[in-house]
Amino acid sequence: DAGVIQSPRHEVTEMGQEVTLRCKPISGHNSLFWYRQTMMRGLELLIYFNNNVPIDDSGMPEDRFSAKMPNASFSTLKIQPSEPRDSAVYFCASSLPGSSPLHFGNGTRLTVT
Amino acid sequence: AQSVAQPEDQVNVAEGNPLTVKCTYSVSGNPYLFWYVQYPNRGLQFLLKYITGDNLVKGSYGFEAEFNKSQTSFHLKKPSALVSDSALYFCAVRAPSTDSWGKFQFGAGTQVVVTP
C-alpha cells in the first residue's frame, strides 16, 4: 500500500502564477478530501468528493481555487492566479465510507512570493 | 452543524507521567470519532477510532481514548508519556450526511510537549 501520494512536495511560485497540486488516493477509496493547514487558521477543509463527484466545496476560499477529480485515482487542486496569502501546506486525504479512517498524504508546501 | 472542540492549545507533561488530551463534540446522530497525530513536516496519522461498544478504545503507540456519550467527549490518554509523543494531536468526527457519508470535522489541534 503506497498510501496517498501528493506532488509536488514543495512548490515556490510568484504571485499571479497558476499552481496545480496533484493527488493520487489509495486504490479503492471512494472519498477524497483536500485540506489546507496554516498556523493562523489551522486545518481547513476545502472540498471533498464521493465517487469522483464534488459533494461540498463550501470551504474553497474563492473562485481562484478549483478542484477536479476526473477519475477514481487522480485529483487536482488548482489556484489561478496565486497570491501570497495562499501560502500553506495543502493535504490530500482519502477514505472508504463510514467508520474507515482518513488517510493523509504528506502534503504540498506552497510558498507564493 | 457538527463541531469539534479541543479546549487546550498545548499540554505539557513530564516523561513517565500520564497524558490526557481533551476533545468534545457536537453532532447529531451517532458519529464515528477519531484521533490523529501529526509530526513536523508530515501528514496526519491515524491513532484510533470509536465506532460502538466498549467506551475505552485502544490504538497505536500505547494510546487509548475514552468515549463518554453523556458528556459528548472523547479524550485521548496515555498512561506513561514519552518524549517521542511530542506532536500535534487532532480529534475528528464523521457523521452521515443526507447524500452519503459526510466530511471529517477536525478540532483545532493540541500541541503536546513531553519533557525529559
Side-chain angles (χ1 to χ4, degrees):
Chain A
D1 181 0
V4 176
I5 299 173
Q6 291 186 247
S7 64
R9 285 282 280 139
H10 302 275
E11 177 80 38
V12 180
T13 190
E14 292 183 346
M15 182 175 63
Q17 297 298 307
E18 177 180 295
V19 175
T20 299
L21 311 181
R22 297 173 174 80
C23 175
K24 177 178 170 56
I26 292 173
S27 178
H29 283 191
N30 67 333
S31 294
L32 184 140
F33 302 74
W34 282 101
Y35 288 88
R36 177 172 69 176
Q37 187 177 35
T38 61
M39 289 292 292
M40 291 296 294
R41 301 173 70 91
L43 193 65
E44 302 173 274
L45 176 64
L46 300 177
I47 185 171
Y48 79 97
F49 298 82
N50 278 348
N51 297 316
N52 312 339
V53 175
I55 301 300
D56 183 351
D57 65 354
S58 60
M60 296 286 262
E62 46 199 273
D63 292 345
R64 297 185 296 107
F65 285 69
S66 62
K68 294 182 179 180
M69 191 164 186
N71 57 62
S73 60
F74 184 66
S75 177
T76 60
L77 178 68
K78 185 175 293 186
I79 309 172
Q80 166 64 18
S82 58
E83 297 182 3
R85 60 191 168 126
D86 301 331
S87 297
V89 180
Y90 290 81
F91 288 104
C92 176
S94 69
S95 77
L96 293 167
S99 64
S100 174
L102 197 55
H103 295 261
F104 282 79
N106 282 325
T108 295
R109 181 175 296 277
L110 173 65
T111 303
V112 183
T113 59
Chain B
Q2 58 189 40
S3 65
V4 180
Q6 294 181 241
E8 301 155 316
D9 291 336
Q10 183 165 313
V11 169
N12 298 302
V13 63
E15 188 174 33
N17 283 359
L19 169 64
T20 298
V21 186
K22 296 179 181 178
C23 171
T24 59
Y25 64 92
S26 173
V27 62
S28 58
N30 297 313
Y32 296 145
L33 302 165
F34 304 84
W35 274 102
Y36 289 82
V37 60
Q38 184 181 29
Y39 298 101
N41 301 314
R42 299 295 300 274
L44 281 68
Q45 299 175 31
F46 168 70
L47 275 179
L48 51 79
K49 67 180 179 182
Y50 174 81
I51 304 174
T52 187
D54 193 350
N55 290 341
L56 186 66
V57 293
K58 295 186 183 297
S60 306
Y61 312 120
F63 283 94
E64 56 190 28
E66 185 170 14
F67 171 68
N68 187 317
K69 187 172 184 177
S70 63
Q71 296 184 4
T72 61
S73 67
F74 189 54
H75 300 332
L76 181 70
K77 300 180 179 183
K78 187 170 184 180
S80 179
L82 301 172
V83 173
S84 57
D85 293 328
S86 298
L88 187 58
Y89 290 80
F90 291 92
C91 180
V93 299
R94 191 184 200 192
S97 68
T98 54
D99 299 312
S100 62
W101 276 98
K103 59 187 177 183
F104 288 77
Q105 183 73 41
F106 283 84
T110 298
Q111 183 69 47
V112 169
V113 178
V114 183
T115 52

